[in-house]
Amino acid sequence: MVPGLPGRSWQPPYSLDLAPDGRLVVALAAAALVLGAAGLAAGLAYADRMPRARTLVVAGCAAAAVLAFLPPSGSADHLNYAAYGRMAALGHDPYATVPADLPADPVVGRVEEWTRTPSVYGPVATAVQALASHIGGDSVGLTVFVMALVNAAAFVATGLLLHRATAGDPVRQRRAALLWTANPLIVYELVAGMHLDTVAIAFVVAGLVARRGVPLGLGVAVKATVGLVALGTAWELRRSPRRLALVAGLAALTVFVAYLLAGPHALDQLLNASKSVSLATPWKLAQRALQAMFGSGAYRAWIQAGSLLLLAALAALLLRGRPTAEREGPVVALAVAVAWLFATPYALPWYDGLGFALLALVAWPGLEAFLVARLAVLSLAYLPARQADQPADLGWLVGVVRGWVAPSLLLALTIALLWWAARSGTRVRTPPAPAAPRPSGPSPESRSPSR
């Protein structure tokens, strides 16, 4: 769960280095995820009975602050972040250099899984990673700690922004806190796991709430997929062409300048990653079926086309049944983001943070159950979190749970969401039946003789 972080012992992050048995660690993580999902579902069901929103926000922010001083857990992605920042600090292009090119470097050489993959992250993410590397030097631990501070600050900022955006309604504020700041699944994936999706989400949520282009552009320059949120802002400003042109122009200019400074290879790996299929998505089942019928490599075009069709269908159904009493921008952004999360062939648990942040802005009864269930399944599917040092007898967790059980459950959940969205749209669009006309004149009772 926690890769080693070499560095000076007095420097954060701090750990007792107990190294318990891997089976115990995975069992504890699974129990935490199950209890966290159950607690989250119960809290959302009884949001009006939960503690005050301010209490929930303070608790979540305190948890984020504590976790920033502990080694990240749940993946080894932060080792990749540190490596790409080290490359940039040393003058290498992280979009054209792979960790395997610098195996002797004390930071780059610690990468465990993506040793032959250049950076897929945006220029702003690389800038944060390079800053952390300049501060951390050849200490992996200190480099990671600096990034953890930035990540925790982004998480807290998003929580405070959501708290303010839902002011005036105590129940909505509690719900927003439960969906983001005090959400045990989000804390586990984004804060304890220290994924830079947190920074990207902070920017785009700020841009969506304030209708500003620069934060939207910065979010895209951290991670391109969060740019889906811009569709909500564009829809909301469609009746004000000048404002729309200004916001869109500033966002596009921010992205253009960031990628221009990053160099010509900044988009190379992003385009390659868009063709991948991750192990726990339903598309892995489709890939196996297509490969069995047509041979290896014949599946990509079919899966890409199918995912786009599913994205369009699900987005259309969700938009058709969207709540009309909410702000248009967050509603449209949420519908498109949820459709993308359920339709994309490549998804990891921490990607769902975008959906939860947007859902915190919108009262959409029923939709939150699908997101909670999806994140719970994905989080459990990615145990054990690392293949390094994995006990040999836990291999079935990857081959069976991640490879077959999770895709099957997510397929059923996607079908259920399509059905629910279609039903919701029908209920919203069906006009109420006209009331029966009342007869004119005196009632029969008034005409009958009294007794």
Side-chain angles (χ1 to χ4, degrees):
M1 292 292 291
V2 182
L5 299 177
R8 297 173 180 85
S9 59
W10 58 271
Q11 293 177 339
Y14 301 113
S15 172
L16 297 177
D17 294 323
L18 296 179
D21 180 75
R23 299 165 194 81
L24 173 62
V25 172
V26 172
L28 288 173
L33 290 170
V34 170
L35 291 171
L40 175 60
L44 290 171
Y46 299 97
D48 57 334
R49 304 181 189 179
M50 294 295 292
R52 293 195 316 167
R54 184 176 300 177
T55 303
L56 296 172
V57 170
V58 169
C61 293
V66 171
L67 288 167
F69 284 83
L70 303 179
S73 62
S75 82
D77 280 5
H78 53 281
L79 299 179
N80 303 334
Y81 303 163
Y84 297 139
R86 176 74 167 178
M87 292 176 189
L90 294 176
H92 299 281
D93 183 356
Y95 300 107
T97 309
V98 299
D101 294 334
L102 303 169
D105 186 88
V107 177
V108 180
R110 298 296 301 185
V111 172
E112 292 183 353
E113 297 170 358
W114 303 101
T115 58
R116 299 194 175 275
T117 305
S119 177
V120 70
Y121 308 110
V124 172
T126 301
V128 172
Q129 294 160 1
L131 174 63
S133 183
H134 279 295
I135 296 173
D138 59 2
S139 170
V140 181
L142 187 56
T143 302
V144 168
F145 173 66
V146 174
M147 292 188 292
L149 289 179
V150 174
N151 186 78
F155 177 82
V156 170
T158 304
L160 296 177
L161 182 60
L162 294 173
H163 182 73
R164 181 175 180 181
T166 53
D169 188 334
V171 175
R172 291 194 67 163
Q173 279 195 318
R174 289 190 188 100
R175 179 177 169 275
L178 289 168
L179 288 168
W180 181 261
T181 323
N183 183 336
L185 299 180
I186 291 297
V187 170
Y188 172 85
E189 295 293 354
L190 293 182
V191 185
M194 207 203 80
H195 292 284
L196 57 77
D197 299 67
T198 316
V199 180
I201 291 169
F203 279 128
V204 295
V205 168
L208 180 65
V209 170
R211 303 183 186 93
R212 294 290 187 270
V214 173
L216 289 172
L218 290 173
V220 174
V222 174
K223 194 169 185 178
T225 50
V226 299
L228 293 166
V229 173
L231 297 174
T233 301
W235 180 263
E236 193 170 31
L237 298 177
R238 68 190 186 282
R239 297 186 182 88
S240 178
R242 291 185 179 179
R243 179 73 185 278
L244 175 58
L246 176 62
V247 172
L250 287 173
L253 180 62
T254 303
V255 175
F256 176 77
V257 170
Y259 275 92
L260 182 66
L261 295 174
H265 300 290
L267 292 173
D268 292 353
Q269 186 59 24
L270 179 63
L271 298 176
N272 292 331
S274 65
K275 303 175 184 177
S276 302
V277 179
S278 57
L279 193 56
T281 65
W283 293 107
K284 181 57 69 171
L285 303 177
Q287 177 187 336
R288 293 192 183 105
L290 290 169
Q291 286 178 324
M293 290 186 291
F294 303 110
S296 177
Y299 64 89
R300 287 188 173 180
W302 289 97
I303 287 180
Q304 285 183 311
S307 65
L308 290 175
L309 286 173
L310 177 58
L311 170 61
L314 190 48
L317 289 173
L318 287 170
L319 289 172
R320 184 167 172 255
R322 67 186 183 272
T324 55
E326 300 289 320
R327 247 188 71 188
E328 288 186 311
V331 169
V332 173
L334 173 60
V336 176
V338 169
W340 171 73
L341 288 171
F342 277 83
T344 181
Y346 193 88
L348 296 168
W350 40 94
Y351 293 9
D352 285 28
L354 178 63
F356 278 91
L358 297 175
L359 187 59
L361 293 169
V362 178
W364 198 330
L367 187 57
E368 56 198 24
F370 289 96
L371 287 181
V372 172
R374 173 187 158 84
L375 183 51
V377 171
L378 269 179
S379 298
L380 289 168
Y382 279 87
L383 293 176
R386 297 165 59 237
Q387 293 353 111
D389 304 322
Q390 171 190 316
D393 57 353
L394 292 184
W396 61 274
L397 290 174
V398 176
V400 177
V401 176
R402 191 182 306 175
W404 290 99
V405 176
S408 301
L409 290 175
L410 292 179
L411 175 60
L413 193 63
T414 303
I415 295 172
L417 178 60
L418 283 165
W419 177 83
W420 176 84
R423 286 283 303 270
S424 299
T426 302
R427 288 196 298 269
V428 168
R429 300 301 173 189
T430 301
R438 303 183 66 178
S440 58
S443 65
E445 290 80 0
S446 65
R447 294 197 299 268
S448 61
S450 59
R451 296 184 179 177

